């Protein structure tokens, strides 16, 4: 069974180490058909003065935030219409694509696009999947259903959606949205 050993400079919190252990376990299972309890991950910590690179001791860089939690917080801010909080989670060059749109760079564009479509929408989440992307990018998919109210006051619910997010350095740089709202509009 696979054994993974990781050496870290002391300074990371328990949650950071837990996330590393889970990510390394998942990385092994992505390639090898090992059972979950057949994979051992050992994290060895060393004092900062016990590690040298280029004749200098080093201190650990802070851990990145959990990308799935960043996306959850962003979506919660959007649903609460706390656009300033949502903007604070966006990275340089942020772009978003919704069904039938080209790229939008500011949340005000999204609000304007949605205004003639529905009164409000909320999301119920079935799951979040986070994974490494190319280079420094993290990718998060979230999926579930949409509920809300059409402009005529009619309620809707159970509309499928999937969102894909790209994050760099813990900030969202791209959002792609797919849903069945166009297929359901006018049916309820």
């Amino acid at each position: 069974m696979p054994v993974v050993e990781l050496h870290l400079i002391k300074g990371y919190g328990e949650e950071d180490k837990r996330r590393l252990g889970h990510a390394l376990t998942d990385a092994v299972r992505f390639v090898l058909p090992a059972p979950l309890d057949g994979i051992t991950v050992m994290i060895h910590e060393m004092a900062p003065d016990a590690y040298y690179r280029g004749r200098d001791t080093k201190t650990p860089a802070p851990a990145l935030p959990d990308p799935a939690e960043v996306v959850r917080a962003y979506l919660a801010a959007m649903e609460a219409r706390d656009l300033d909080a949502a903007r604070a989670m966006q990275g340089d060059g942020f772009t978003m694509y919704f069904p039938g749109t080209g790229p939008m760079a500011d949340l005000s564009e999204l609000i304007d696009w949605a205004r003639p479509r529905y009164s409000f929408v909320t999301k119920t989440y079935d799951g979040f999947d986070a994974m490494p992307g190319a280079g420094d990018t993290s990718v998060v998919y979230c999926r579930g259903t949409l509920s809300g109210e059409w402009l005529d006051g009619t309620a809707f619910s159970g509309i499928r959606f999937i969102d894909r997010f790209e994050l760099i350095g813990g900030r969202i740089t791209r959002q792609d949205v797919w849903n069945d709202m166009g297929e359901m509009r006018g049916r309820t």
Side-chain angles (χ1 to χ4, degrees):
M1 293 299 147
V3 176
V4 178
E5 291 191 55
L6 174 67
H7 296 266
L8 288 178
I9 301 172
K10 281 186 182 178
Y12 291 101
E14 293 304 312
E15 178 62 15
D16 299 330
K17 290 183 280 188
R18 183 198 65 77
R19 286 178 53 215
L20 270 170
H22 285 199
L24 290 169
T25 300
D26 292 344
V28 169
R29 293 187 76 208
F30 193 73
V31 177
L32 303 176
L36 190 61
D37 62 356
I39 300 168
T40 302
V41 175
M42 292 185 276
I43 298 176
H44 306 284
E45 292 183 288
M46 56 178 47
D49 63 356
Y51 172 81
Y52 287 82
R53 187 174 65 223
R55 295 185 180 164
D56 294 320
T57 59
K58 302 294 180 188
T59 56
L64 293 170
D66 181 335
E69 292 305 316
V70 172
V71 168
R72 282 180 194 269
Y74 173 80
L75 292 170
M78 289 295 296
E79 190 168 315
R81 288 296 184 252
D82 188 348
L83 301 184
D84 290 336
R87 282 184 185 103
M89 294 177 232
Q90 296 173 342
D92 293 338
F94 171 81
T95 53
M96 60 188 149
Y97 299 82
F98 278 69
T101 74
M104 295 184 278
D106 191 83
L107 296 177
S108 62
E109 293 175 88
L110 173 61
I111 302 300
D112 291 344
W113 173 80
R115 188 173 289 117
R117 288 169 172 72
Y118 48 80
S119 297
F120 72 90
V121 67
T122 61
K123 292 182 174 185
T124 300
Y125 302 105
D126 292 336
F128 286 77
D129 301 307
M131 63 211 68
D136 293 337
T137 304
S138 297
V139 176
V140 176
Y141 286 91
C142 70
R143 63 198 180 287
T145 56
L146 303 173
S147 302
E149 185 178 278
W150 300 117
L151 293 175
D152 67 2
T154 305
F156 63 84
S157 64
I159 297 176
R160 299 179 310 163
F161 80 90
I162 187 166
D163 293 353
R164 181 185 183 275
F165 293 87
E166 292 181 6
L167 295 84
I168 296 176
R171 296 197 179 269
I172 299 168
T173 58
R174 182 177 174 124
Q175 177 183 6
D176 292 283
V177 174
W178 297 273
N179 62 53
D180 292 335
M181 190 171 275
E183 297 295 320
M184 301 304 290
R185 208 153 109 192
R187 286 190 187 180
T188 55

